[in-house]
Amino acid sequence: LYENCASYVEIGQTGWIEILDFRKLLGVDPLKYVIFKDFHCKVIKPAVNDVNQHAEFVLQYHLQKQTRKVVAIKFNINKKKSADKNAS
């Protein structure tokens, strides 16, 4: 996730990434975490928290839905303030 978002720091956000493509980017087995709730809790949230703790930028994500199904994800990327870097 870090590698995919680091190149967008200057832009400030990624484009919408379809969930199937996002799963491939992260290397998640297609048969694992088939239910989005599981994928969200076990993959997306921990990955975002890990990046936010260790990277020089902070990620926030937004989910795009069609009816009730999540179909895409987008990340907003903000540089950490210098005070945040010194605290880490």
Side-chain angles (χ1 to χ4, degrees):
L1 182 60
Y2 172 85
E3 293 86 6
N4 294 320
C5 291
S7 59
Y8 289 94
V9 171
E10 295 302 320
I11 299 169
Q13 68 181 12
T14 65
W16 288 104
I17 306 166
E18 291 186 27
I19 293 298
L20 293 175
D21 294 335
F22 185 63
R23 291 174 66 92
K24 290 177 191 173
L25 274 171
L26 295 181
V28 176
D29 185 334
L31 301 176
K32 201 166 187 179
Y33 309 121
V34 177
I35 298 171
F36 182 78
K37 181 176 88 172
D38 295 335
F39 180 62
H40 185 241
C41 291
K42 304 217 184 219
V43 178
I44 297 173
K45 280 185 179 181
V48 169
N49 288 337
D50 191 40
V51 169
N52 286 344
Q53 283 180 352
H54 297 37
E56 62 278 358
F57 53 85
V58 177
L59 294 179
Q60 294 177 320
Y61 60 92
H62 304 281
L63 303 173
Q64 184 179 53
K65 294 182 178 181
Q66 283 182 348
T67 56
R68 293 177 52 187
K69 184 178 179 180
V70 177
V71 293
I73 188 167
K74 175 168 96 171
F75 292 93
N76 287 343
I77 305 151
N78 298 308
K79 292 180 183 177
K80 286 185 181 177
K81 296 179 177 123
S82 58
D84 292 344
K85 288 182 184 178
N86 294 335
S88 296

